[in-house]
């Protein structure tokens, strides 16, 4: 191996380390409807985007986890939505999923994303998986509406209703 090859390989390794998103691990908080919510930016995937976990309260702990694997445009939430940076907590190595996915624009075939791999489910989703988050990015207004009302506009049930109403 030539010294030039060695430097090229070291450069590739270094770039991989540097490519880690600078905001990974970011912790955001906001009071909504009298309750404090905490977001933890825990994973990013080039194709699917940044994902957060949503906690009720000001702590990042399993008992207060409300929403897992939520695709979220966190930069706009900070810039325009009033979400405040309160710290950074290393998320460690994470895998994407479990979450539901379909090929846009309308759900014809469903997939399960689990441990960074897609598995085809078919034209319907088994009842035990219907509660999972959709693999998509939402904005801070939709998340805040969901936290206030409890209604997830982009759940499996809502997509079925959309298909029923508009025959898509």
């Amino acid at each position: 191996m030539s010294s030039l090859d060695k430097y090229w390989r070291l450069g590739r390794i270094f770039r991989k380390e540097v490519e880690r998103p600078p905001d990974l691990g970011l912790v955001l908080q906001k009071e909504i409807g009298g309750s404090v919510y905490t977001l933890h930016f825990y994973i990013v995937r080039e194709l699917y985007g940044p994902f957060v976990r949503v906690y009720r309260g000001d702590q990042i702990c399993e008992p207060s986890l409300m929403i897992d694997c939520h695709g979220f445009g966190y930069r706009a939430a900070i810039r325009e939505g009033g979400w405040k940076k309160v710290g950074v907590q290393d998320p460690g190595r994470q895998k994407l999923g479990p979450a539901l996915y379909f090929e846009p624009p309308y759900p014809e075939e469903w997939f399960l994303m689990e441990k960074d791999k897609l598995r085809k489910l078919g034209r319907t989703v088994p009842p035990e998986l219907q509660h999972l988050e959709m693999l998509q990015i939402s904005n801070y207004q939709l998340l805040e509406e969901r936290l206030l009302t409890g209604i997830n506009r982009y759940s499996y049930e809502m997509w079925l209703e959309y298909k029923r109403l508009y025959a898509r």
Side-chain angles (χ1 to χ4, degrees):
M1 176 186 311
S2 75
S3 60
L4 192 57
D5 288 336
K6 231 185 251 182
Y7 285 114
W8 183 81
R9 279 190 170 181
L10 284 173
R12 272 186 60 210
I13 292 166
F14 177 72
R15 276 195 307 279
K16 246 189 170 168
E17 295 289 324
V18 172
E19 285 172 5
R20 180 176 188 232
D23 294 335
L24 195 62
L26 189 64
V27 178
L28 308 175
Q29 284 183 349
K30 184 175 180 179
E31 185 176 319
I32 301 169
S35 295
V36 172
Y37 294 94
T38 301
L39 304 179
H40 186 215
F41 174 39
Y42 77 100
I43 197 168
V44 66
R45 288 294 180 267
E46 191 174 303
L47 183 60
Y48 303 110
F51 287 85
V52 298
R53 290 187 171 127
V54 182
Y55 300 87
R56 173 171 269 141
D58 60 358
Q59 299 294 314
I60 296 175
C61 57
E62 193 65 33
S64 62
L65 179 64
M66 291 183 59
I67 303 171
D68 194 4
C69 198
H70 183 76
F72 188 68
Y74 68 97
R75 288 189 176 129
I78 295 168
R79 196 173 47 250
E80 301 162 13
W83 287 86
K84 303 288 185 228
K85 295 180 187 181
V86 295
V88 174
Q89 183 173 325
D90 185 5
R93 290 184 56 88
Q94 301 289 324
K95 297 278 187 195
L96 188 56
L100 296 174
Y101 178 72
F102 61 85
E103 290 291 326
Y106 305 106
E108 296 298 329
E109 294 285 334
W110 290 92
F111 299 86
L112 174 66
M113 169 62 81
E114 194 166 34
K115 297 180 183 171
D116 292 332
K117 293 185 179 14
L118 279 177
R119 183 181 67 162
K120 188 175 182 179
L121 297 173
R123 296 185 69 74
T124 61
V125 173
E128 66 272 13
L129 300 176
Q130 291 177 4
H131 71 282
L132 293 174
E133 290 293 311
M134 298 299 298
L135 200 59
Q136 62 186 19
I137 303 295
S138 75
N139 64 32
Y140 69 91
Q141 292 135 333
L142 289 174
L143 176 61
E144 291 175 14
E145 176 187 291
R146 180 176 174 185
L147 294 172
L148 284 171
T149 66
I151 297 169
N152 180 358
R153 283 198 208 183
Y154 295 102
S155 66
Y156 175 74
E157 296 83 21
M158 294 298 255
W159 276 109
L160 290 183
E161 180 66 13
Y162 180 84
K163 283 180 78 167
R164 187 187 66 74
L165 288 173
Y166 300 104
R168 299 235 180 211

